[in-house]
Structures are given as C-alpha cells and as structure tokens.
Amino acid sequence: MISKNEIKEIRALGQKKFRDERGLFVVEGEKLVDEALRSGFEIVGQYRIEDIGTEAMARISQLAHPSPALAVVRQPQAAATPAIAPGELVLALDGIHDPGNLGTIIRIADWFGIRQILASEDTVEVYNPKVVQATMGAIFRV
C-alpha cells in the first residue's frame, strides 16, 4: 500500500524545484525501472501497479497512461570539474530546450560509447521526466 504522503512526495518530483531540493527523480516503465535497478543508482522507492493498484499508480504517474512500474531514484552527485581521461570523447551541449531532443542526444551518446555530457546552464534539466523517458534507460549509462 502507498500512503497519501508518499503520493504527494512522488507527485512533487514532477517539478524541478522539488527534484533539486530532494535530490531525487522518477523513472516510469518496466524497461526504465529495470535499467535503474541494474545501474547501481540508489533506488529510494519502487512501485508496481499490482502492489499499489491502478488508481494509486495513476496518481503518482507523470504519464497520460500510467505504466505498470515506477521508481524513485537518487540523483548522483555531479563533479564540479568532471574528470576526463585522455582520448575520451565528451559531448558538450549548449541551449538544448526540448526535453525529447536532450533524451535522444543522451541515447545517441550511449550508442557511440560517450559516457560524459557537459551541458550549459540554459540546457533543459537532465532529470526532467520527459528527458528521462526519452533516454530509454541511457541516462543510467551516460
């Protein structure tokens, strides 16, 4: 069962302010939850539709059609100055405003083995729910 307070806390993570304050983000969907579990990222909470019910899942989901699985994940601490090995490819982004585009770029970086992306302050936030969905799990490798 899921409490009203948990529902409120998870719903709040749909807003950047609360993701930043709590250092958490939400992943939705069987594939993304599975990727999160295998990634080494800290899973703070995991919810399945068969455990909490359709109505509760619909209330915590950011999607129009709730998926059967959702997880709350701790954001990793980013280094102020990332360590870049000699010869390592790094992608630098400036001014990416569309969440779907950033998610696609992260997916492509993963495909080509690029493990680090640097983004300007005016780039959409990486833990935006639409970015996370668009990465299709690559967020846990890049």
Side-chain angles (χ1 to χ4, degrees), residues 89-110:
L89 287 176
V90 176
L91 194 57
L93 304 176
D94 183 34
I96 306 297
H97 298 287
D98 183 88
N101 288 348
L102 180 57
T104 300
I105 290 168
I106 294 170
R107 243 182 18 250
I108 291 168
D110 183 40

Side-chain angles (χ1 to χ4, degrees), residues 38-60:
R38 289 186 285 137
S39 71
F41 279 54
E42 180 185 347
I43 308 300
V44 176
Q46 184 179 356
Y47 305 90
R48 298 190 121 358
I49 202 163
E50 60 266 15
D51 297 331
I52 67 169
T54 306
E55 184 181 323
M57 186 62 85
R59 291 180 65 200
I60 63 174

Side-chain angles (χ1 to χ4, degrees), residues 7 20 34 47-49 54 66 72 113 123 128-129 133:
I7 291 171
D20 289 347
D34 187 48
Y47 305 90
R48 298 190 121 358
I49 202 163
T54 306
V72 177
T123 294
N128 175 305
Q133 284 298 122

